Amino acid sequence: CHQYDGQGVGEAPPLEGSSWVKGPQDRLIKIVLHGVRGKIEVQGRTYDREMPGFGSILTDEDLASLLSFVRSRFGGPSDPIRAAAVGRVRAANQHRTRYWTVGELLEQR
């Protein structure tokens, strides 16, 4: 959906330079664990799609590795995301069964 170059395609927003990629690591972890839906603004354009969560199929280590790559490739220099951070976010939201809304994610800094 986001393409190999992070530019997105169609209604999938770009990852390259996105404040969602560069922003708080817990927010990014939540998106990939549980998914997100609703209107989301990326680089001045509004997208209204949903992204599924991958928490049920990715381990903490896999998710940390994936997100570390995405942040370094498309968000600029940043510290790696650790599996322990993913595990902490996963445990804190273990009963969540629905996608995050954009509003929920923006409220949590």
Side-chain angles (χ1 to χ4, degrees):
C1 296
H2 302 286
Q3 299 301 304
Y4 70 93
D5 60 0
Q7 297 303 309
V9 66
E11 289 301 310
L15 299 176
E16 181 74 41
S18 168
S19 62
W20 290 87
V21 171
K22 294 189 276 189
Q25 77 171 6
D26 284 7
R27 184 172 68 191
L28 190 58
I29 292 168
K30 287 175 181 178
I31 290 170
V32 178
L33 279 174
H34 301 105
V36 63
R37 74 166 34 121
K39 293 182 179 181
I40 187 169
E41 186 175 322
V42 178
Q43 298 176 0
R45 180 173 170 202
T46 300
Y47 298 84
D48 192 7
R49 299 277 321 242
E50 57 185 47
M51 179 182 142
F54 296 95
S56 64
I57 59 173
L58 293 177
T59 67
D60 293 352
E61 293 78 14
D62 291 340
L63 202 141
S65 178
L66 170 70
L67 291 179
S68 293
F69 169 77
V70 166
R71 284 186 93 166
S72 69
R73 173 68 174 88
F74 303 116
S78 63
D79 291 333
I81 293 177
R82 305 283 182 208
V86 175
R88 179 183 45 77
V89 173
R90 187 189 297 267
N93 299 283
Q94 64 184 319
H95 299 295
R96 187 166 193 94
T97 59
R98 65 188 191 285
Y99 290 8
W100 292 98
T101 66
V102 171
E104 287 175 313
L105 293 170
L106 290 174
E107 287 173 3
Q108 304 166 8
R109 298 273 174 200

